[in-house]
Amino acid sequence: MSILAIVQARMDSTRLGGKILKTLGDHEVLWHVVDRSRRIRQVDRVVVATTVKPTDDVTAAFCRDNGINCFRGSDEDVLDRFYGAARQYGAEHIVRITADCPVLDPVIVEGIIDAYFREGYDVCRPGTEFPDGLDCAIFSFAVLEDTWKSATLPSDREHISPYMERHTDKYKVGMVDTLTGLGHHRWTLDEPEDYRFLQELFRRLYHPGEVFLTADILGVLEREPELMRINSAFARNEGYLKSLEKDQALAGRKGGREP
């Protein structure tokens, strides 16, 4: 059984350009995401899936210089990029991780992987009350391949797992709810304010060679709740909401029919 963690990463970002190579502690954001992904006990290999755009030459060079597997594919069709990476590395199961989650918790991901196999799910992810920034999902290569063949909406090609989660007629979908009441926390990296917030966390918690976990972050925020005000003005899943707008525009051009 082969479990591949695929980290989607690109330098272009409309809200915070070059965010994946900004520094937190003594390393770049992408380095932290890969390091945390490698600490997931069930994962056999980690690969960064970036784009073929010239702007991501620096991403590929960063991976090469740091001994990180790298696959390059489509910019906008992230689903095709994921499928290409999974095929190239012979994955039987894929853990989807995004490079805007530098405080990804390996222990939480392990719990989701355990639930995926224990319950026989086709796709499994955290529940809706997890902090924004602990995002992940696991699914089989067979499900990924079927999604790659079937999905047509822009949001499904850009975000991958919503198609799987929506089609419960085809897939057994699971959510893990080990955390509750934390959905208002924002630990992701999309805005300059997010970067400021994460810098404050790393100043308080980061030690070279170690990773701090969800409980450590909650402890800091319990002692210093004012830190949450740094980036509290932003809505969750803004990128996905923008993709849904593309879906609506496409449907309008086709006379209101879903493609």
Short mmCIF file of all heavy atoms in Angstrom, two decimals, residues 57-80:
data_model
loop_
_atom_site.label_atom_id
_atom_site.label_comp_id
_atom_site.label_asym_id
_atom_site.label_seq_id
_atom_site.Cartn_x
_atom_site.Cartn_y
_atom_site.Cartn_z
N ASP A 57 9.49 28.29 -11.80
CA ASP A 57 10.86 27.76 -11.93
C ASP A 57 11.56 27.85 -10.57
O ASP A 57 12.33 26.96 -10.19
CB ASP A 57 11.65 28.54 -12.97
CG ASP A 57 11.18 28.28 -14.40
OD1 ASP A 57 10.39 27.34 -14.60
OD2 ASP A 57 11.60 29.04 -15.30
N VAL A 58 11.29 28.93 -9.84
CA VAL A 58 11.92 29.10 -8.52
C VAL A 58 11.38 28.06 -7.53
O VAL A 58 12.13 27.59 -6.66
CB VAL A 58 11.69 30.53 -7.99
CG1 VAL A 58 10.22 30.81 -7.72
CG2 VAL A 58 12.51 30.78 -6.74
N THR A 59 10.12 27.66 -7.68
CA THR A 59 9.56 26.61 -6.82
C THR A 59 10.26 25.28 -7.09
O THR A 59 10.65 24.57 -6.15
CB THR A 59 8.05 26.46 -7.06
OG1 THR A 59 7.42 27.74 -6.98
CG2 THR A 59 7.43 25.51 -6.07
N ALA A 60 10.41 24.95 -8.36
CA ALA A 60 11.09 23.71 -8.73
C ALA A 60 12.54 23.73 -8.26
O ALA A 60 13.07 22.72 -7.78
CB ALA A 60 11.01 23.50 -10.24
N ALA A 61 13.21 24.88 -8.39
CA ALA A 61 14.60 25.00 -7.94
C ALA A 61 14.69 24.83 -6.43
O ALA A 61 15.62 24.19 -5.92
CB ALA A 61 15.17 26.34 -8.37
N PHE A 62 13.74 25.42 -5.71
CA PHE A 62 13.72 25.27 -4.25
C PHE A 62 13.60 23.80 -3.87
O PHE A 62 14.31 23.31 -2.97
CB PHE A 62 12.55 26.07 -3.66
CG PHE A 62 12.38 25.88 -2.18
CD1 PHE A 62 13.13 26.61 -1.28
CD2 PHE A 62 11.47 24.94 -1.68
CE1 PHE A 62 12.98 26.43 0.10
CE2 PHE A 62 11.31 24.76 -0.32
CZ PHE A 62 12.07 25.50 0.57
N CYS A 63 12.71 23.09 -4.54
CA CYS A 63 12.54 21.66 -4.26
C CYS A 63 13.83 20.89 -4.56
O CYS A 63 14.28 20.06 -3.75
CB CYS A 63 11.38 21.09 -5.08
SG CYS A 63 9.75 21.67 -4.57
N ARG A 64 14.43 21.18 -5.69
CA ARG A 64 15.69 20.50 -6.05
C ARG A 64 16.77 20.76 -5.01
O ARG A 64 17.47 19.84 -4.57
CB ARG A 64 16.14 20.97 -7.43
CG ARG A 64 17.41 20.29 -7.94
CD ARG A 64 17.85 20.83 -9.28
NE ARG A 64 18.19 22.26 -9.22
CZ ARG A 64 17.49 23.23 -9.79
NH1 ARG A 64 16.41 22.95 -10.48
NH2 ARG A 64 17.89 24.48 -9.68
N ASP A 65 16.91 21.99 -4.59
CA ASP A 65 17.96 22.36 -3.65
C ASP A 65 17.74 21.79 -2.25
O ASP A 65 18.68 21.68 -1.47
CB ASP A 65 18.07 23.89 -3.55
CG ASP A 65 18.55 24.53 -4.85
OD1 ASP A 65 19.07 23.79 -5.72
OD2 ASP A 65 18.37 25.75 -5.01
N ASN A 66 16.48 21.44 -1.94
CA ASN A 66 16.16 20.93 -0.61
C ASN A 66 15.79 19.44 -0.61
O ASN A 66 15.27 18.93 0.39
CB ASN A 66 15.02 21.75 -0.01
CG ASN A 66 15.45 23.13 0.42
OD1 ASN A 66 15.96 23.32 1.52
ND2 ASN A 66 15.27 24.12 -0.47
N GLY A 67 16.08 18.75 -1.71
CA GLY A 67 15.85 17.32 -1.76
C GLY A 67 14.38 16.94 -1.69
O GLY A 67 14.03 15.90 -1.11
N ILE A 68 13.52 17.75 -2.30
CA ILE A 68 12.07 17.52 -2.27
C ILE A 68 11.61 17.07 -3.65
O ILE A 68 11.96 17.69 -4.66
CB ILE A 68 11.33 18.81 -1.86
CG1 ILE A 68 11.78 19.28 -0.47
CG2 ILE A 68 9.82 18.60 -1.90
CD1 ILE A 68 11.29 20.68 -0.11
N ASN A 69 10.85 15.99 -3.71
CA ASN A 69 10.28 15.54 -4.98
C ASN A 69 9.37 16.63 -5.54
O ASN A 69 8.61 17.27 -4.81
CB ASN A 69 9.45 14.27 -4.78
CG ASN A 69 10.27 13.11 -4.29
OD1 ASN A 69 11.30 12.78 -4.87
ND2 ASN A 69 9.83 12.47 -3.21
N CYS A 70 9.43 16.83 -6.86
CA CYS A 70 8.64 17.89 -7.48
C CYS A 70 8.03 17.40 -8.79
O CYS A 70 8.71 16.74 -9.59
CB CYS A 70 9.51 19.12 -7.73
SG CYS A 70 8.62 20.54 -8.41
N PHE A 71 6.77 17.71 -8.99
CA PHE A 71 6.07 17.44 -10.24
C PHE A 71 5.51 18.76 -10.74
O PHE A 71 4.97 19.54 -9.96
CB PHE A 71 4.94 16.44 -10.01
CG PHE A 71 4.11 16.18 -11.24
CD1 PHE A 71 4.48 15.18 -12.13
CD2 PHE A 71 2.97 16.93 -11.52
CE1 PHE A 71 3.73 14.94 -13.27
CE2 PHE A 71 2.21 16.69 -12.64
CZ PHE A 71 2.59 15.69 -13.53
N ARG A 72 5.60 18.98 -12.05
CA ARG A 72 5.08 20.22 -12.63
C ARG A 72 3.95 19.90 -13.60
O ARG A 72 4.05 18.98 -14.43
CB ARG A 72 6.19 21.00 -13.33
CG ARG A 72 7.33 21.34 -12.39
CD ARG A 72 8.35 22.26 -13.02
NE ARG A 72 7.85 23.61 -13.15
CZ ARG A 72 8.60 24.65 -13.55
NH1 ARG A 72 9.88 24.46 -13.85
NH2 ARG A 72 8.08 25.86 -13.64
N GLY A 73 2.86 20.67 -13.48
CA GLY A 73 1.70 20.45 -14.33
C GLY A 73 0.91 21.72 -14.53
O GLY A 73 1.42 22.83 -14.37
N SER A 74 -0.37 21.56 -14.84
CA SER A 74 -1.23 22.69 -15.18
C SER A 74 -1.33 23.70 -14.04
O SER A 74 -1.33 23.34 -12.87
CB SER A 74 -2.63 22.17 -15.54
OG SER A 74 -3.53 23.23 -15.71
N ASP A 75 -1.48 24.97 -14.42
CA ASP A 75 -1.67 26.03 -13.44
C ASP A 75 -3.09 26.02 -12.91
O ASP A 75 -3.31 25.83 -11.71
CB ASP A 75 -1.34 27.38 -14.08
CG ASP A 75 -1.63 28.56 -13.17
OD1 ASP A 75 -1.57 28.36 -11.94
OD2 ASP A 75 -1.90 29.65 -13.67
N GLU A 76 -4.08 26.20 -13.77
CA GLU A 76 -5.47 26.32 -13.32
C GLU A 76 -6.13 24.96 -13.08
O GLU A 76 -6.99 24.85 -12.21
CB GLU A 76 -6.27 27.12 -14.34
CG GLU A 76 -5.83 28.58 -14.44
CD GLU A 76 -6.78 29.41 -15.27
OE1 GLU A 76 -7.78 28.86 -15.77
OE2 GLU A 76 -6.52 30.62 -15.40
N ASP A 77 -5.77 23.94 -13.84
CA ASP A 77 -6.37 22.62 -13.66
C ASP A 77 -5.56 21.84 -12.63
O ASP A 77 -4.74 20.98 -12.96
CB ASP A 77 -6.42 21.88 -15.00
CG ASP A 77 -7.29 20.63 -14.95
OD1 ASP A 77 -7.62 20.16 -13.83
OD2 ASP A 77 -7.64 20.11 -16.02
N VAL A 78 -5.81 22.15 -11.36
CA VAL A 78 -5.05 21.51 -10.28
C VAL A 78 -5.36 20.02 -10.22
O VAL A 78 -4.50 19.21 -9.87
CB VAL A 78 -5.36 22.19 -8.93
CG1 VAL A 78 -4.52 21.60 -7.81
CG2 VAL A 78 -5.12 23.69 -9.03
N LEU A 79 -6.58 19.65 -10.56
CA LEU A 79 -6.96 18.24 -10.57
C LEU A 79 -6.08 17.46 -11.54
O LEU A 79 -5.60 16.36 -11.21
CB LEU A 79 -8.43 18.11 -10.95
CG LEU A 79 -9.00 16.71 -11.10
CD1 LEU A 79 -8.80 15.88 -9.84
CD2 LEU A 79 -10.49 16.77 -11.47
N ASP A 80 -5.85 18.00 -12.72
CA ASP A 80 -4.97 17.34 -13.69
C ASP A 80 -3.55 17.26 -13.17
O ASP A 80 -2.86 16.24 -13.36
CB ASP A 80 -5.01 18.10 -15.02
CG ASP A 80 -4.24 17.37 -16.10
OD1 ASP A 80 -4.70 16.31 -16.55
OD2 ASP A 80 -3.16 17.86 -16.50
#
